[in-house]
PDB file of all heavy atoms in Angstrom:
ATOM      1  N   ALA I   1       0.833  -1.209   0.005  1.00 95.00           N
ATOM      2  CA  ALA I   1      -0.003   0.007  -0.001  1.00 95.00           C
ATOM      3  C   ALA I   1       0.871   1.244   0.003  1.00 95.00           C
ATOM      4  O   ALA I   1       0.579   2.218  -0.701  1.00 95.00           O
ATOM      5  CB  ALA I   1      -0.922  -0.014   1.213  1.00 95.00           C
ATOM      6  N   LEU I   2       1.945   1.229   0.780  1.00 95.00           N
ATOM      7  CA  LEU I   2       2.868   2.373   0.815  1.00 95.00           C
ATOM      8  C   LEU I   2       3.506   2.592  -0.548  1.00 95.00           C
ATOM      9  O   LEU I   2       3.602   3.724  -1.042  1.00 95.00           O
ATOM     10  CB  LEU I   2       3.942   2.112   1.881  1.00 95.00           C
ATOM     11  CG  LEU I   2       4.970   3.203   2.127  1.00 95.00           C
ATOM     12  CD1 LEU I   2       4.334   4.451   2.672  1.00 95.00           C
ATOM     13  CD2 LEU I   2       6.067   2.704   3.082  1.00 95.00           C
ATOM     14  N   TRP I   3       3.936   1.507  -1.191  1.00 94.00           N
ATOM     15  CA  TRP I   3       4.590   1.578  -2.497  1.00 94.00           C
ATOM     16  C   TRP I   3       3.621   2.094  -3.568  1.00 94.00           C
ATOM     17  O   TRP I   3       3.973   2.975  -4.357  1.00 94.00           O
ATOM     18  CB  TRP I   3       5.101   0.188  -2.858  1.00 94.00           C
ATOM     19  CG  TRP I   3       5.819   0.093  -4.157  1.00 94.00           C
ATOM     20  CD1 TRP I   3       5.269  -0.191  -5.372  1.00 94.00           C
ATOM     21  CD2 TRP I   3       7.209   0.286  -4.380  1.00 94.00           C
ATOM     22  NE1 TRP I   3       6.221  -0.197  -6.352  1.00 94.00           N
ATOM     23  CE2 TRP I   3       7.437   0.092  -5.783  1.00 94.00           C
ATOM     24  CE3 TRP I   3       8.292   0.589  -3.572  1.00 94.00           C
ATOM     25  CZ2 TRP I   3       8.704   0.189  -6.351  1.00 94.00           C
ATOM     26  CZ3 TRP I   3       9.566   0.690  -4.147  1.00 94.00           C
ATOM     27  CH2 TRP I   3       9.746   0.504  -5.509  1.00 94.00           C
ATOM     28  N   GLU I   4       2.409   1.545  -3.581  1.00 94.00           N
ATOM     29  CA  GLU I   4       1.442   1.917  -4.594  1.00 94.00           C
ATOM     30  C   GLU I   4       1.008   3.380  -4.492  1.00 94.00           C
ATOM     31  O   GLU I   4       0.668   4.009  -5.506  1.00 94.00           O
ATOM     32  CB  GLU I   4       0.199   1.002  -4.500  1.00 94.00           C
ATOM     33  CG  GLU I   4       0.511  -0.436  -4.944  1.00 94.00           C
ATOM     34  CD  GLU I   4      -0.559  -1.416  -4.498  1.00 94.00           C
ATOM     35  OE1 GLU I   4      -1.589  -0.949  -3.938  1.00 94.00           O
ATOM     36  OE2 GLU I   4      -0.366  -2.623  -4.673  1.00 94.00           O
ATOM     37  N   LYS I   5       0.992   3.916  -3.280  1.00 92.00           N
ATOM     38  CA  LYS I   5       0.623   5.320  -3.077  1.00 92.00           C
ATOM     39  C   LYS I   5       1.814   6.268  -3.178  1.00 92.00           C
ATOM     40  O   LYS I   5       1.664   7.473  -2.966  1.00 92.00           O
ATOM     41  CB  LYS I   5      -0.018   5.501  -1.689  1.00 92.00           C
ATOM     42  CG  LYS I   5      -1.332   4.731  -1.492  1.00 92.00           C
ATOM     43  CD  LYS I   5      -2.467   5.345  -2.283  1.00 92.00           C
ATOM     44  CE  LYS I   5      -3.794   4.668  -1.949  1.00 92.00           C
ATOM     45  NZ  LYS I   5      -4.908   5.235  -2.726  1.00 92.00           N
ATOM     46  N   SER I   6       2.996   5.708  -3.499  1.00 90.00           N
ATOM     47  CA  SER I   6       4.230   6.513  -3.542  1.00 90.00           C
ATOM     48  C   SER I   6       4.464   7.236  -2.218  1.00 90.00           C
ATOM     49  O   SER I   6       4.873   8.389  -2.182  1.00 90.00           O
ATOM     50  CB  SER I   6       4.192   7.518  -4.702  1.00 90.00           C
ATOM     51  OG  SER I   6       4.067   6.868  -5.934  1.00 90.00           O
ATOM     52  N   GLY I   7       4.154   6.527  -1.137  1.00 92.00           N
ATOM     53  CA  GLY I   7       4.348   7.095   0.202  1.00 92.00           C
ATOM     54  C   GLY I   7       5.775   6.989   0.666  1.00 92.00           C
ATOM     55  O   GLY I   7       6.598   6.289   0.069  1.00 92.00           O
ATOM     56  N   SER I   8       6.067   7.661   1.775  1.00 92.00           N
ATOM     57  CA  SER I   8       7.428   7.669   2.300  1.00 92.00           C
ATOM     58  C   SER I   8       7.580   6.860   3.566  1.00 92.00           C
ATOM     59  O   SER I   8       8.664   6.324   3.832  1.00 92.00           O
ATOM     60  CB  SER I   8       7.869   9.115   2.554  1.00 92.00           C
ATOM     61  OG  SER I   8       6.998   9.742   3.483  1.00 92.00           O
ATOM     62  N   ASP I   9       6.535   6.776   4.398  1.00 95.00           N
ATOM     63  CA  ASP I   9       6.676   6.176   5.724  1.00 95.00           C
ATOM     64  C   ASP I   9       5.459   5.315   6.064  1.00 95.00           C
ATOM     65  O   ASP I   9       4.338   5.580   5.611  1.00 95.00           O
ATOM     66  CB  ASP I   9       6.795   7.263   6.805  1.00 95.00           C
ATOM     67  CG  ASP I   9       7.998   8.155   6.569  1.00 95.00           C
ATOM     68  OD1 ASP I   9       7.875   9.137   5.809  1.00 95.00           O
ATOM     69  OD2 ASP I   9       9.051   7.889   7.158  1.00 95.00           O
ATOM     70  N   LEU I  10       5.698   4.320   6.899  1.00 97.00           N
ATOM     71  CA  LEU I  10       4.648   3.465   7.471  1.00 97.00           C
ATOM     72  C   LEU I  10       4.800   3.496   8.977  1.00 97.00           C
ATOM     73  O   LEU I  10       5.901   3.298   9.491  1.00 97.00           O
ATOM     74  CB  LEU I  10       4.771   2.039   6.957  1.00 97.00           C
ATOM     75  CG  LEU I  10       3.913   0.960   7.637  1.00 97.00           C
ATOM     76  CD1 LEU I  10       2.436   1.203   7.396  1.00 97.00           C
ATOM     77  CD2 LEU I  10       4.332  -0.441   7.144  1.00 97.00           C
ATOM     78  N   LEU I  11       3.714   3.760   9.679  1.00 97.00           N
ATOM     79  CA  LEU I  11       3.734   3.821  11.142  1.00 97.00           C
ATOM     80  C   LEU I  11       2.766   2.800  11.720  1.00 97.00           C
ATOM     81  O   LEU I  11       1.574   2.795  11.385  1.00 97.00           O
ATOM     82  CB  LEU I  11       3.350   5.231  11.633  1.00 97.00           C
ATOM     83  CG  LEU I  11       3.261   5.421  13.152  1.00 97.00           C
ATOM     84  CD1 LEU I  11       4.648   5.241  13.790  1.00 97.00           C
ATOM     85  CD2 LEU I  11       2.681   6.792  13.484  1.00 97.00           C
ATOM     86  N   LEU I  12       3.272   1.945  12.607  1.00 97.00           N
ATOM     87  CA  LEU I  12       2.464   0.982  13.331  1.00 97.00           C
ATOM     88  C   LEU I  12       2.471   1.371  14.794  1.00 97.00           C
ATOM     89  O   LEU I  12       3.529   1.401  15.441  1.00 97.00           O
ATOM     90  CB  LEU I  12       3.009  -0.441  13.160  1.00 97.00           C
ATOM     91  CG  LEU I  12       3.256  -0.937  11.740  1.00 97.00           C
ATOM     92  CD1 LEU I  12       3.725  -2.388  11.755  1.00 97.00           C
ATOM     93  CD2 LEU I  12       1.997  -0.789  10.878  1.00 97.00           C
ATOM     94  N   SER I  13       1.280   1.662  15.333  1.00 96.00           N
ATOM     95  CA  SER I  13       1.170   2.072  16.732  1.00 96.00           C
ATOM     96  C   SER I  13      -0.098   1.481  17.319  1.00 96.00           C
ATOM     97  O   SER I  13      -1.153   1.475  16.661  1.00 96.00           O
ATOM     98  CB  SER I  13       1.146   3.612  16.832  1.00 96.00           C
ATOM     99  OG  SER I  13       1.151   4.040  18.167  1.00 96.00           O
ATOM    100  N   ALA I  14      -0.012   0.971  18.528  1.00 95.00           N
ATOM    101  CA  ALA I  14      -1.151   0.320  19.162  1.00 95.00           C
ATOM    102  C   ALA I  14      -2.297   1.321  19.347  1.00 95.00           C
ATOM    103  O   ALA I  14      -2.089   2.484  19.676  1.00 95.00           O
ATOM    104  CB  ALA I  14      -0.741  -0.255  20.515  1.00 95.00           C
ATOM    105  N   GLY I  15      -3.523   0.846  19.095  1.00 95.00           N
ATOM    106  CA  GLY I  15      -4.695   1.686  19.296  1.00 95.00           C
ATOM    107  C   GLY I  15      -5.143   2.440  18.061  1.00 95.00           C
ATOM    108  O   GLY I  15      -6.132   3.202  18.119  1.00 95.00           O
ATOM    109  N   THR I  16      -4.474   2.254  16.937  1.00 96.00           N
ATOM    110  CA  THR I  16      -4.896   2.900  15.696  1.00 96.00           C
ATOM    111  C   THR I  16      -4.552   2.016  14.520  1.00 96.00           C
ATOM    112  O   THR I  16      -3.759   1.063  14.639  1.00 96.00           O
ATOM    113  CB  THR I  16      -4.221   4.278  15.531  1.00 96.00           C
ATOM    114  OG1 THR I  16      -4.772   4.967  14.398  1.00 96.00           O
ATOM    115  CG2 THR I  16      -2.729   4.152  15.342  1.00 96.00           C
ATOM    116  N   GLU I  17      -5.152   2.297  13.370  1.00 96.00           N
ATOM    117  CA  GLU I  17      -4.852   1.549  12.168  1.00 96.00           C
ATOM    118  C   GLU I  17      -3.418   1.842  11.709  1.00 96.00           C
ATOM    119  O   GLU I  17      -2.866   2.883  12.028  1.00 96.00           O
ATOM    120  CB  GLU I  17      -5.808   1.916  11.023  1.00 96.00           C
ATOM    121  CG  GLU I  17      -7.275   1.773  11.370  1.00 96.00           C
ATOM    122  CD  GLU I  17      -7.874   3.095  11.831  1.00 96.00           C
ATOM    123  OE1 GLU I  17      -7.127   3.927  12.416  1.00 96.00           O
ATOM    124  OE2 GLU I  17      -9.083   3.287  11.612  1.00 96.00           O
ATOM    125  N   PRO I  18      -2.799   0.952  10.917  1.00 96.00           N
ATOM    126  CA  PRO I  18      -1.528   1.277  10.273  1.00 96.00           C
ATOM    127  C   PRO I  18      -1.694   2.537   9.437  1.00 96.00           C
ATOM    128  O   PRO I  18      -2.727   2.704   8.759  1.00 96.00           O
ATOM    129  CB  PRO I  18      -1.248   0.049   9.401  1.00 96.00           C
ATOM    130  CG  PRO I  18      -2.055  -1.048   9.990  1.00 96.00           C
ATOM    131  CD  PRO I  18      -3.284  -0.401  10.558  1.00 96.00           C
ATOM    132  N   ARG I  19      -0.740   3.418   9.501  1.00 97.00           N
ATOM    133  CA  ARG I  19      -0.834   4.687   8.764  1.00 97.00           C
ATOM    134  C   ARG I  19       0.369   4.848   7.841  1.00 97.00           C
ATOM    135  O   ARG I  19       1.495   4.482   8.203  1.00 97.00           O
ATOM    136  CB  ARG I  19      -0.906   5.871   9.738  1.00 97.00           C
ATOM    137  CG  ARG I  19      -2.187   5.881  10.572  1.00 97.00           C
ATOM    138  CD  ARG I  19      -2.154   6.948  11.652  1.00 97.00           C
ATOM    139  NE  ARG I  19      -3.338   6.894  12.501  1.00 97.00           N
ATOM    140  CZ  ARG I  19      -4.338   7.771  12.431  1.00 97.00           C
ATOM    141  NH1 ARG I  19      -4.296   8.761  11.582  1.00 97.00           N
ATOM    142  NH2 ARG I  19      -5.389   7.650  13.257  1.00 97.00           N
ATOM    143  N   ILE I  20       0.124   5.411   6.670  1.00 96.00           N
ATOM    144  CA  ILE I  20       1.182   5.701   5.717  1.00 96.00           C
ATOM    145  C   ILE I  20       1.246   7.206   5.496  1.00 96.00           C
ATOM    146  O   ILE I  20       0.226   7.908   5.584  1.00 96.00           O
ATOM    147  CB  ILE I  20       0.995   4.953   4.382  1.00 96.00           C
ATOM    148  CG1 ILE I  20      -0.365   5.285   3.749  1.00 96.00           C
ATOM    149  CG2 ILE I  20       1.169   3.468   4.573  1.00 96.00           C
ATOM    150  CD1 ILE I  20      -0.564   4.665   2.361  1.00 96.00           C
ATOM    151  N   ARG I  21       2.450   7.687   5.221  1.00 94.00           N
ATOM    152  CA  ARG I  21       2.635   9.111   4.949  1.00 94.00           C
ATOM    153  C   ARG I  21       2.714   9.308   3.442  1.00 94.00           C
ATOM    154  O   ARG I  21       3.641   8.786   2.785  1.00 94.00           O
ATOM    155  CB  ARG I  21       3.899   9.649   5.610  1.00 94.00           C
ATOM    156  CG  ARG I  21       4.058  11.169   5.521  1.00 94.00           C
ATOM    157  CD  ARG I  21       5.295  11.667   6.249  1.00 94.00           C
ATOM    158  NE  ARG I  21       5.242  11.379   7.673  1.00 94.00           N
ATOM    159  CZ  ARG I  21       4.595  12.120   8.564  1.00 94.00           C
ATOM    160  NH1 ARG I  21       3.909  13.191   8.153  1.00 94.00           N
ATOM    161  NH2 ARG I  21       4.606  11.803   9.834  1.00 94.00           N
ATOM    162  N   VAL I  22       1.776  10.041   2.901  1.00 92.00           N
ATOM    163  CA  VAL I  22       1.723  10.333   1.464  1.00 92.00           C
ATOM    164  C   VAL I  22       1.673  11.840   1.284  1.00 92.00           C
ATOM    165  O   VAL I  22       0.806  12.508   1.867  1.00 92.00           O
ATOM    166  CB  VAL I  22       0.489   9.659   0.808  1.00 92.00           C
ATOM    167  CG1 VAL I  22       0.446   9.979  -0.688  1.00 92.00           C
ATOM    168  CG2 VAL I  22       0.514   8.155   1.022  1.00 92.00           C
ATOM    169  N   ASP I  23       2.598  12.387   0.509  1.00 88.00           N
ATOM    170  CA  ASP I  23       2.678  13.843   0.299  1.00 88.00           C
ATOM    171  C   ASP I  23       2.735  14.589   1.623  1.00 88.00           C
ATOM    172  O   ASP I  23       2.142  15.649   1.794  1.00 88.00           O
ATOM    173  CB  ASP I  23       1.510  14.332  -0.557  1.00 88.00           C
ATOM    174  CG  ASP I  23       1.503  13.750  -1.950  1.00 88.00           C
ATOM    175  OD1 ASP I  23       2.541  13.187  -2.357  1.00 88.00           O
ATOM    176  OD2 ASP I  23       0.476  13.846  -2.637  1.00 88.00           O
ATOM    177  N   GLY I  24       3.437  14.002   2.584  1.00 86.00           N
ATOM    178  CA  GLY I  24       3.664  14.684   3.850  1.00 86.00           C
ATOM    179  C   GLY I  24       2.587  14.462   4.889  1.00 86.00           C
ATOM    180  O   GLY I  24       2.768  14.842   6.052  1.00 86.00           O
ATOM    181  N   ALA I  25       1.443  13.867   4.540  1.00 90.00           N
ATOM    182  CA  ALA I  25       0.329  13.687   5.478  1.00 90.00           C
ATOM    183  C   ALA I  25       0.129  12.217   5.803  1.00 90.00           C
ATOM    184  O   ALA I  25       0.163  11.358   4.912  1.00 90.00           O
ATOM    185  CB  ALA I  25      -0.956  14.279   4.897  1.00 90.00           C
ATOM    186  N   LEU I  26      -0.092  11.921   7.099  1.00 93.00           N
ATOM    187  CA  LEU I  26      -0.375  10.549   7.526  1.00 93.00           C
ATOM    188  C   LEU I  26      -1.852  10.221   7.279  1.00 93.00           C
ATOM    189  O   LEU I  26      -2.727  11.028   7.575  1.00 93.00           O
ATOM    190  CB  LEU I  26      -0.058  10.385   9.013  1.00 93.00           C
ATOM    191  CG  LEU I  26       1.370  10.040   9.407  1.00 93.00           C
ATOM    192  CD1 LEU I  26       1.490   9.981  10.914  1.00 93.00           C
ATOM    193  CD2 LEU I  26       1.814   8.721   8.819  1.00 93.00           C
ATOM    194  N   ARG I  27      -2.086   9.005   6.791  1.00 94.00           N
ATOM    195  CA  ARG I  27      -3.471   8.562   6.578  1.00 94.00           C
ATOM    196  C   ARG I  27      -3.548   7.070   6.850  1.00 94.00           C
ATOM    197  O   ARG I  27      -2.584   6.336   6.602  1.00 94.00           O
ATOM    198  CB  ARG I  27      -3.913   8.866   5.140  1.00 94.00           C
ATOM    199  CG  ARG I  27      -3.074   8.160   4.074  1.00 94.00           C
ATOM    200  CD  ARG I  27      -3.472   8.551   2.667  1.00 94.00           C
ATOM    201  NE  ARG I  27      -3.172   9.935   2.375  1.00 94.00           N
ATOM    202  CZ  ARG I  27      -3.289  10.468   1.157  1.00 94.00           C
ATOM    203  NH1 ARG I  27      -3.720   9.727   0.148  1.00 94.00           N
ATOM    204  NH2 ARG I  27      -3.002  11.733   0.950  1.00 94.00           N
ATOM    205  N   PRO I  28      -4.687   6.588   7.373  1.00 96.00           N
ATOM    206  CA  PRO I  28      -4.844   5.150   7.606  1.00 96.00           C
ATOM    207  C   PRO I  28      -4.783   4.374   6.288  1.00 96.00           C
ATOM    208  O   PRO I  28      -5.220   4.851   5.250  1.00 96.00           O
ATOM    209  CB  PRO I  28      -6.212   5.045   8.254  1.00 96.00           C
ATOM    210  CG  PRO I  28      -6.520   6.406   8.781  1.00 96.00           C
ATOM    211  CD  PRO I  28      -5.860   7.357   7.832  1.00 96.00           C
ATOM    212  N   VAL I  29      -4.255   3.164   6.369  1.00 95.00           N
ATOM    213  CA  VAL I  29      -4.253   2.273   5.211  1.00 95.00           C
ATOM    214  C   VAL I  29      -5.675   1.723   5.011  1.00 95.00           C
ATOM    215  O   VAL I  29      -6.297   1.223   5.946  1.00 95.00           O
ATOM    216  CB  VAL I  29      -3.261   1.114   5.410  1.00 95.00           C
ATOM    217  CG1 VAL I  29      -3.294   0.158   4.211  1.00 95.00           C
ATOM    218  CG2 VAL I  29      -1.844   1.649   5.612  1.00 95.00           C
ATOM    219  N   ASP I  30      -6.189   1.868   3.807  1.00 92.00           N
ATOM    220  CA  ASP I  30      -7.547   1.411   3.533  1.00 92.00           C
ATOM    221  C   ASP I  30      -7.752  -0.058   3.888  1.00 92.00           C
ATOM    222  O   ASP I  30      -6.894  -0.909   3.579  1.00 92.00           O
ATOM    223  CB  ASP I  30      -7.878   1.608   2.029  1.00 92.00           C
ATOM    224  CG  ASP I  30      -7.925   3.078   1.646  1.00 92.00           C
ATOM    225  OD1 ASP I  30      -8.105   3.914   2.548  1.00 92.00           O
ATOM    226  OD2 ASP I  30      -7.793   3.376   0.433  1.00 92.00           O
ATOM    227  N   GLY I  31      -8.859  -0.364   4.519  1.00 92.00           N
ATOM    228  CA  GLY I  31      -9.217  -1.739   4.805  1.00 92.00           C
ATOM    229  C   GLY I  31      -8.509  -2.380   5.971  1.00 92.00           C
ATOM    230  O   GLY I  31      -8.647  -3.594   6.176  1.00 92.00           O
ATOM    231  N   THR I  32      -7.783  -1.594   6.758  1.00 94.00           N
ATOM    232  CA  THR I  32      -7.066  -2.158   7.912  1.00 94.00           C
ATOM    233  C   THR I  32      -7.832  -1.877   9.205  1.00 94.00           C
ATOM    234  O   THR I  32      -8.675  -0.997   9.274  1.00 94.00           O
ATOM    235  CB  THR I  32      -5.650  -1.584   8.016  1.00 94.00           C
ATOM    236  OG1 THR I  32      -5.732  -0.145   8.141  1.00 94.00           O
ATOM    237  CG2 THR I  32      -4.817  -1.957   6.814  1.00 94.00           C
ATOM    238  N   GLU I  33      -7.482  -2.641  10.227  1.00 94.00           N
ATOM    239  CA  GLU I  33      -8.124  -2.504  11.535  1.00 94.00           C
ATOM    240  C   GLU I  33      -7.127  -1.950  12.548  1.00 94.00           C
ATOM    241  O   GLU I  33      -5.919  -1.937  12.328  1.00 94.00           O
ATOM    242  CB  GLU I  33      -8.645  -3.874  12.005  1.00 94.00           C
ATOM    243  CG  GLU I  33      -9.691  -4.464  11.092  1.00 94.00           C
ATOM    244  CD  GLU I  33     -10.172  -5.830  11.572  1.00 94.00           C
ATOM    245  OE1 GLU I  33      -9.591  -6.334  12.562  1.00 94.00           O
ATOM    246  OE2 GLU I  33     -11.110  -6.379  10.968  1.00 94.00           O
ATOM    247  N   VAL I  34      -7.676  -1.497  13.674  1.00 95.00           N
ATOM    248  CA  VAL I  34      -6.856  -0.988  14.764  1.00 95.00           C
ATOM    249  C   VAL I  34      -5.897  -2.102  15.229  1.00 95.00           C
ATOM    250  O   VAL I  34      -6.302  -3.259  15.386  1.00 95.00           O
ATOM    251  CB  VAL I  34      -7.733  -0.530  15.937  1.00 95.00           C
ATOM    252  CG1 VAL I  34      -6.902  -0.236  17.171  1.00 95.00           C
ATOM    253  CG2 VAL I  34      -8.532   0.702  15.523  1.00 95.00           C
ATOM    254  N   MET I  35      -4.621  -1.750  15.406  1.00 95.00           N
ATOM    255  CA  MET I  35      -3.614  -2.740  15.784  1.00 95.00           C
ATOM    256  C   MET I  35      -3.481  -2.840  17.304  1.00 95.00           C
ATOM    257  O   MET I  35      -3.681  -1.852  18.030  1.00 95.00           O
ATOM    258  CB  MET I  35      -2.261  -2.383  15.161  1.00 95.00           C
ATOM    259  CG  MET I  35      -2.228  -2.378  13.650  1.00 95.00           C
ATOM    260  SD  MET I  35      -0.537  -2.464  12.992  1.00 95.00           S
ATOM    261  CE  MET I  35      -0.165  -4.209  13.297  1.00 95.00           C
ATOM    262  N   LYS I  36      -3.129  -4.015  17.751  1.00 93.00           N
ATOM    263  CA  LYS I  36      -2.860  -4.258  19.156  1.00 93.00           C
ATOM    264  C   LYS I  36      -1.355  -4.285  19.393  1.00 93.00           C
ATOM    265  O   LYS I  36      -0.586  -4.601  18.500  1.00 93.00           O
ATOM    266  CB  LYS I  36      -3.486  -5.567  19.601  1.00 93.00           C
ATOM    267  CG  LYS I  36      -5.000  -5.616  19.483  1.00 93.00           C
ATOM    268  CD  LYS I  36      -5.545  -6.984  19.880  1.00 93.00           C
ATOM    269  CE  LYS I  36      -7.059  -7.022  19.744  1.00 93.00           C
ATOM    270  NZ  LYS I  36      -7.602  -8.372  20.105  1.00 93.00           N
ATOM    271  N   GLY I  37      -0.964  -3.946  20.612  1.00 92.00           N
ATOM    272  CA  GLY I  37       0.460  -3.886  20.924  1.00 92.00           C
ATOM    273  C   GLY I  37       1.182  -5.189  20.715  1.00 92.00           C
ATOM    274  O   GLY I  37       2.318  -5.214  20.221  1.00 92.00           O
TER     275      GLY I  37
END
């Protein structure tokens, strides 16, 4: 998903969906669920 969106970063943090940084802004990865620690 990060590659296809030409994103720069992937962040995994408990209590939220995986997020990717695209054009400087973080956004949840489509179709993902909140991650557990």
Side-chain angles (χ1 to χ4, degrees):
L2 182 65
W3 181 269
E4 290 164 7
K5 297 288 187 181
S6 299
S8 59
D9 301 85
L10 169 66
L11 177 65
L12 307 183
S13 185
T16 187
E17 306 95 330
R19 294 172 184 255
I20 57 175
R21 187 178 298 278
V22 179
D23 296 346
L26 274 177
R27 61 184 67 173
V29 178
D30 293 340
T32 58
E33 299 179 354
V34 170
M35 297 198 75
K36 298 178 181 179

